[in-house]
Amino acid sequence: MISKKIKIIVLVLILIPVLLLATVNILKFKITQTDSSNQNKTNNKGLNQHIYNDSMFVDKSIILFIDFEDFSCIQCENQVLHICKWIEENLDSIKNDTILLLVKKRNNNEQYYKFLIGNWVKENKVSFQVKLDSKNIFSELKVLNTSIAILNRNNNMNYYNSFPLTLIQLEEVKKIIKDLLVVKS
């Protein structure tokens, strides 16, 4: 029979690498978040300038840049849908035209994207304006991931971040939207 001391030593030897791997992954995640945050700050200036000058974005308050490939991250898709549903439940329907979902086009097959977008909109009961990025705005603005941009009344960037958002960021987005747009009474 194996003594208790040997069992404990083996258990400790197994747990130490697991804890080290977990710690390394946590550190990598924090570094990635910091890099993403820095990238978002860098993109804000170019994004802000382009949005200000592009007629597609005139009178828009919320722009969701959607890359369907990012929806392999379930949390990303769920958060985008959560924000859409939250907006629909909490804001006047008059304001629906101030929200734009811009979908990234990854190849030249527009029929495929129209089919994909149409099915996604119907399946998720999304009632906002949805456009396919036929002008390659994603590339031009260096939008790398599914993201949200919130503009103030002067069409300047108020908030920009990539999905998935932390719970704190998600609540911040809701607060900014609530303060910016007319809330249902």
Side-chain angles (χ1 to χ4, degrees):
M1 264 195 144
I2 302 173
S3 72
K4 282 187 176 182
K5 286 183 180 180
I6 294 175
K7 287 181 182 178
I8 291 172
I9 290 172
V10 169
L11 182 63
V12 168
L13 290 174
I14 291 171
L15 287 177
I16 288 174
V18 170
L19 290 173
L20 287 173
L21 283 173
T23 304
V24 167
N25 284 334
I26 289 170
L27 290 173
K28 282 182 183 177
F29 178 74
K30 286 183 179 180
I31 290 169
T32 302
Q33 277 189 322
T34 302
D35 289 346
S36 175
S37 176
N38 290 339
Q39 179 69 35
N40 286 342
K41 287 177 186 171
T42 304
N43 283 354
N44 275 357
K45 287 183 181 176
L47 188 63
N48 198 21
Q49 188 63 36
H50 189 87
I51 285 173
Y52 190 77
N53 292 324
D54 195 313
S55 62
M56 180 190 310
F57 301 122
V58 171
D59 296 327
K60 300 301 177 209
S61 297
I62 301 167
I63 303 164
L64 285 163
F65 294 94
I66 296 176
D67 182 351
F68 281 121
E69 285 192 8
D70 290 340
F71 285 0
S72 61
C73 162
I74 300 299
Q75 186 179 11
C76 296
E77 181 178 19
N78 286 343
Q79 284 184 353
V80 168
L81 290 172
H82 173 76
I83 287 173
C84 289
K85 299 297 181 204
W86 181 86
I87 291 169
E88 287 179 343
E89 291 169 2
N90 291 287
L91 303 176
D92 280 333
S93 59
I94 297 166
K95 293 292 185 183
N96 276 0
D97 66 335
T98 66
I99 297 156
L100 172 66
L101 281 64
L102 185 65
V103 177
K104 183 174 187 175
K105 185 173 140 183
R106 290 199 164 265
N107 61 39
N108 289 329
N109 190 344
E110 287 204 28
Q111 284 300 103
Y112 168 74
Y113 273 97
K114 287 179 182 179
F115 172 78
L116 180 67
I117 292 168
N119 281 344
W120 185 79
V121 165
K122 188 189 296 184
E123 181 180 314
N124 294 295
K125 299 177 179 101
V126 175
S127 64
F128 304 120
Q129 181 183 18
V130 181
K131 287 191 175 185
L132 184 60
D133 180 17
S134 55
K135 296 181 185 177
N136 291 321
I137 292 171
F138 272 77
S139 297
E140 201 174 306
L141 300 178
K142 297 180 177 84
V143 175
L144 303 175
N145 303 43
T146 297
S147 308
I148 184 168
I150 303 173
L151 312 177
N152 64 22
R153 287 179 178 83
N154 298 326
N155 225 37
N156 288 316
M157 186 78 61
N158 193 8
Y159 181 88
Y160 177 82
N161 213 330
S162 299
F163 289 93
L165 303 172
T166 66
L167 289 176
I168 293 170
Q169 292 169 328
L170 195 57
E171 291 306 313
E172 181 182 7
V173 165
K174 288 179 183 179
K175 183 184 179 324
I176 293 169
I177 292 171
K178 212 177 231 187
D179 291 344
L180 185 65
L181 301 176
V182 178
V183 179
K184 285 183 179 177
S185 49

